[in-house]
Amino acid sequence: MGSRVIHSDLEEFLTGFIRRELEAIGSPLASDVFVSNEFPNPARPKSVIVRDDGGPDASIITAEPTVGVTVLTDEDPTEGETATNLALLVKAIVKGCARVEPGNPVAAVLGFNGPYKVPDETGCPRRYMTAELSVAGKAFP
């Protein structure tokens, strides 16, 4: 019988990882941030949305998915500065997520694009970025 490998739910891992890292930072910018794989309804003052866009399998054990990360803020008197700073903070968190520890499937961050300003239908500040990751799967009997 051949080897079977299962990959972890990357959205679940990254949303939890980003949420914990933001809480650990404890600054006003990092506090009260809604982190999910779905857009909030109703909108929240600060939101980070993670989407797994998939990607190729690189080997029997590894895959190379791309994740999209959207950062939203509500009406912003700083003209988007809060959204930009939160996006840069989230970028730093995601770039540092590759670790050898239980439950962490990310073996390497292969590339990063953004964050970019993206128009939002509400007129509120929105930033978008993508990360290319190398993830390791787990053996499945």
Side-chain angles (χ1 to χ4, degrees):
M1 182 179 291
S3 298
R4 295 184 188 126
V5 174
I6 302 269
H7 287 97
S8 299
D9 182 333
L10 193 53
E11 289 176 353
E12 181 180 4
F13 168 74
L14 283 174
T15 56
F17 185 84
I18 293 167
R19 194 177 298 114
R20 287 187 302 276
E21 292 292 308
L22 288 171
E23 288 171 3
I25 291 168
S27 73
L29 178 64
S31 66
D32 300 320
V33 179
F34 174 79
V35 182
S36 180
N37 65 340
E38 296 183 13
F39 286 86
N41 187 10
R44 306 282 178 95
K46 294 183 284 189
S47 300
V48 174
I49 313 305
V50 177
R51 183 187 69 223
D52 182 353
D53 290 335
D57 289 345
S59 71
I60 193 168
I61 299 169
T62 60
E64 294 181 355
T66 298
V67 294
V69 180
T70 300
V71 175
L72 298 165
T73 58
D74 59 6
E75 295 179 17
D76 187 351
T78 66
E79 297 182 17
E81 184 178 333
T82 300
T84 297
N85 290 338
L86 180 57
L88 291 170
L89 179 57
V90 171
K91 177 180 181 174
I93 290 169
V94 174
K95 285 181 78 170
C97 74
R99 300 177 184 180
V100 179
E101 60 188 21
N104 186 341
V106 181
V109 177
L110 304 175
F112 216 100
N113 293 299
Y116 306 108
K117 291 181 182 180
V118 177
D120 188 80
E121 62 275 359
T122 66
C124 293
R126 177 187 286 238
R127 304 295 180 262
Y128 181 74
M129 59 194 118
T130 61
E132 296 82 37
L133 306 175
S134 176
V135 296
K138 296 182 277 187
F140 181 79

